[in-house]
Amino acid sequence: MFKNYIKIAFRSLWKNRLFTGINLLGLSLGLASAVVLILFIQRGLTFDTFHKDNDQIYFVQTADKESRYNQTVYPILDQLLKTYPEIEKGTHIQGWNNVWINYNGKDIQGNTKYVDSTFFDVFSFQLKYGNPSTALKDRQSILINGDIAAALFGDKNPVGKTVTVNDTLNFTVTGVLEPVPANSSIQFEVLVPIANLEADKGFRENADWYNTFAAVYLKVKAGTDIGKLESKFPKFVKTHFAEGAKDRTIHIAPIKDFIHFQNPFFKSMIYGAMTIAGFILLIISINLINLNTAVSFTRAKEVAVRKVTGSTLRQILIQFWLESGIVLVAALTLSIIFAVTYLIPQFNEFRQGRMQLMVNWQQDYATMLILLVIICAIAFIAGTYPAMYLNKLDIRDTIKGTLTSKPQSKGWTKNSLIVVQFVLTIVLILGALSVRMQTGFMRNAHVGFDKENVVIVQSDMQYKNVDAAMGQFSGILDDLKQNPYVKSVATSGVVPTKYWSNYNLYLSESEPDKEVRLRQAGTSSAYAQTYNISMIEGRDFSDELDKNGENNPVVINESAMKALGWKTAVGKRIHPKNNDKIYTVIGVMKDFHYQELKEKIEPLIHWYEGKTALNSYLTVKFTDDRHVAEVMAGLEKKMKMMPAKKPFKFFYLSEELSRQYNDLDGIWKMVNFVTMLSIVIALAGIFGLITLAANQRTKEVGIRKVLGASVHGVAILLSKDFVILVLISIVIAIPLAYTFVKSYLQKYEYHITMQWYTYVMVGAAALLLTILTVGFQSVRAAMMDPVKSLKSE
């Protein structure tokens, strides 16, 4: 019996191959998109949840009057372990510098984290080689990932080998790390015991009870009441924190929430992916149900004959379920091939190395099960509805063929589904437009500084002889300043798009009770001149005037002056809350966007770093773009004369400003693909339905033409119902899209406003595409020879 079901299913699918093809196209593209989105959602929802005893792992946060962040003071860990027995283990995970590892003359640098010996007691990162319980016990031990191990040692097990770290120290390789999961907020390539960092003088000077730069993780005992534990922290802060930090509060949060504190947009991305995946699945389901229902009217006589010959409802349902299932299985196979070979690589490219998607059939069984459940649900609905409807029809009328002349006369369900489908499509179109327009706005907005003909050299190349490099670098700067093609030169620890997240509280000498949180960075003279940043008061740093640094000169921005409550700033004096060092304001910069436009311009302070500071960046402003290549070639040659471990690299500021919105580009590409997919599916579905309607009304069309109806009139008759449905969709979709777009854009500090005519134009475009789609097939049906039409039934 099952063999007969299969035969009939394939015959029916081939007979209605146009609709089978439309379903396969829509389903395979839709399911491929859903595979990628569900994988992303699954990775996002399980971020940092792969550790053993995950619900016992927390991280320490610090909060002040203005914000709450994922760092705290460095000494806190030891004191927490001593004070609270509820805390079982803990570890620092400190970034400070990326160490250089040398073996047999080969140097390699990796993303380095300094950790305590208890690191593997808290976390469940895996080792390919080595023992996690002893790998970090010795101060001069080092763990490396597989890529670094392969680069230095080939395919051999390097545990026990001795490597040279930072040119001077001998370390023993005690472990090789397995790849860190992509959905881990802690990413590293090298692990080194933190005792090495504590031996650094500069680190020790900052590792006090005031500066909050340390990442501290805790493993609490099972069953610990976190609220009760946190209630003890205010007393802890008053007892241990520095005088200027006693008004702070500390909190502990589950590790699974780390990513959401670090990147508040991440949750929106997950919910956005859920929404889009839901839209896709709904659109393809509606299309399948509509087409199956429409085609089912051509099979009314078949179902009636089955019933006459003794078929039960269950047998009819099995036949329809089987046909839907065959189409869906074929579509799923095609979708997985398309997703793995094209969509996932494209997704990973726009993610630029962050949380890359890879299909692991053993780990991703849950995702595959979700897809299987979804497919079974779609097949069940798409098969059940037409089968149940046809089963209720009167057998006598069906056998006589009286239904064929009035197809879908009670198609309110079909019509409702078409409206929903087009509503979703129009909302997606407007959503994609808002992302594109916002990205374009941020890329082209005036940022408050000159980005054209500005080249930035990454001048911190890890020189082997720093003192010699300083002398040579001073000469290079002088040569650049004398170059006729160079307008200005500046060195700095930061440049626009690459400002540190380095803050401190400052007090005004005239108002010692008022605290202002300033973002701080170091620059040299000519910074404002090189970037053409307007000075609204005072001056920028000067190598001649500030060479002695006696008054500790600083330059602030307009937002800082407003935050301090000043109408004029030059000559005013401020000092950090944690010490009494006095800084004198010598100038005020007009506010400029030193980070993405989605962020508010924060109060900013620059301190003077000296005339020949070998900073992280060397900025060169050219008179025009004609001689950039020539000057940069000469600069590269000179800088390569200073022995260094890093290669000479530079970038154009205009390109870097554009690059910071690559994430948005990726989101737009994804939404745009889904939008195009929904348009294709919706129009293909409409095309299929109008084709079927025209076929079922062939005799009616022939009679109308014989009685004098025009081609134009017949075309309108066939297509008007679909056009009306699209008009209803537009009326419903525009308010929904407006609400969605407004909510999305308000997430950006600086954003566009979508004009009313944009919504109208999208609605008109949707209507035009529908008219073209149904009009083509309607005209074709209307032009058929009426003699043939009257014989067709």
Side-chain angles (χ1 to χ4, degrees), residues 687 767-777:
F687 181 81
L767 183 61
L768 179 61
L769 284 172
T770 305
I771 290 172
L772 290 174
T773 303
V774 300
F776 170 78
Q777 193 64 9

Side-chain angles (χ1 to χ4, degrees), residues 190-208:
V190 178
L191 292 179
V192 178
I194 204 162
N196 294 280
L197 195 54
E198 291 170 345
D200 181 89
K201 182 182 177 183
F203 178 81
R204 289 198 308 272
E205 289 174 352
N206 286 278
D208 55 20

Side-chain angles (χ1 to χ4, degrees), residues 152-189:
L152 294 176
F153 303 99
D155 57 359
K156 296 178 182 177
N157 179 357
V159 171
K161 300 285 187 181
T162 300
V163 296
T164 304
V165 174
N166 291 340
D167 297 326
T168 57
L169 303 171
N170 290 327
F171 277 62
T172 302
V173 178
T174 55
V176 175
L177 300 154
E178 292 281 12
V180 176
N183 58 344
S184 170
S185 58
I186 306 165
Q187 294 289 327
F188 51 86
E189 297 169 312

Side-chain angles (χ1 to χ4, degrees), residues 464-727:
K464 294 182 178 180
N465 188 329
V466 177
D467 292 335
M470 284 285 286
Q472 290 176 271
F473 191 67
S474 179
I476 289 172
L477 289 180
D478 290 337
D479 289 344
L480 281 172
K481 291 173 184 177
Q482 298 301 317
N483 193 305
Y485 306 127
V486 174
K487 191 172 182 179
S488 184
V489 176
T491 60
S492 55
V494 295
V495 293
T497 73
K498 298 184 182 297
Y499 268 68
W500 311 321
S501 293
N502 186 2
Y503 299 87
N504 203 354
L505 292 173
Y506 283 82
L507 307 175
S508 168
E509 191 177 51
S510 58
E511 297 180 69
D513 294 331
K514 186 171 185 177
E515 301 175 0
V516 175
R517 186 170 180 256
L518 302 180
R519 191 167 189 157
Q520 51 192 14
T523 65
S524 68
S525 64
Y527 185 80
Q529 176 189 344
T530 302
Y531 286 99
N532 197 23
I533 300 169
S534 300
M535 300 295 296
I536 63 173
E537 187 181 14
R539 62 175 176 83
D540 195 6
F541 299 120
S542 165
D543 290 334
E544 294 302 318
L545 297 174
D546 301 314
K547 59 185 175 183
N548 296 324
E550 293 174 354
N551 60 352
N552 297 317
V554 293
V555 174
I556 62 175
N557 70 348
E558 196 175 357
S559 291
M561 185 171 73
K562 291 176 181 176
L564 287 160
W566 297 338
K567 292 184 178 179
T568 181
V570 172
K572 297 287 180 69
R573 308 205 313 168
I574 58 177
H575 69 87
K577 188 176 180 181
N578 61 320
N579 63 62
D580 295 324
K581 186 176 181 179
I582 299 295
Y583 294 91
T584 303
V585 179
I586 62 168
V588 180
M589 293 176 167
K590 189 173 180 60
D591 279 346
F592 65 97
H593 293 279
Y594 52 86
Q595 53 188 347
E596 296 177 41
L597 267 73
K598 70 180 180 183
E599 307 291 347
K600 185 179 180 181
I601 297 176
E602 298 172 311
L604 178 67
I605 183 171
H606 288 161
W607 62 73
Y608 179 60
E609 290 197 318
K611 181 178 180 181
T612 58
L614 194 58
N615 271 315
S616 299
Y617 301 101
L618 164 64
T619 304
V620 184
K621 168 69 174 175
F622 289 87
T623 54
D624 54 51
D625 61 357
R626 290 177 297 173
H627 301 282
V628 173
E630 176 189 339
V631 174
M632 294 308 296
L635 179 60
E636 180 178 7
K637 185 177 180 180
K638 290 176 182 178
M639 293 195 71
K640 281 185 173 180
M641 293 173 67
M642 300 184 288
K645 293 178 180 177
K646 288 185 177 180
F648 177 83
K649 289 184 179 179
F650 66 89
F651 56 87
Y652 290 86
L653 180 58
S654 57
E655 293 178 359
E656 189 65 24
L657 287 171
S658 180
R659 196 176 294 121
Q660 66 182 340
Y661 299 114
N662 281 357
D663 264 2
L664 273 179
D665 270 345
I667 292 171
W668 177 78
K669 287 177 183 177
M670 179 176 70
V671 176
N672 191 49
F673 176 82
V674 171
T675 302
M676 294 303 297
L677 171 66
S678 66
I679 293 171
V680 169
I681 292 173
L683 293 178
I686 287 285
F687 181 81
L689 291 173
I690 188 67
T691 301
L692 185 66
N695 290 341
Q696 291 174 328
R697 301 176 73 175
T698 301
K699 185 175 286 187
E700 177 190 345
V701 168
I703 293 171
R704 286 179 178 274
K705 290 191 71 178
V706 168
L707 294 175
S710 65
V711 171
H712 177 261
V714 172
I716 291 175
L717 175 71
L718 292 174
S719 59
K720 68 177 182 179
D721 290 342
F722 295 103
V723 173
I724 290 170
L725 291 175
V726 174
L727 284 170

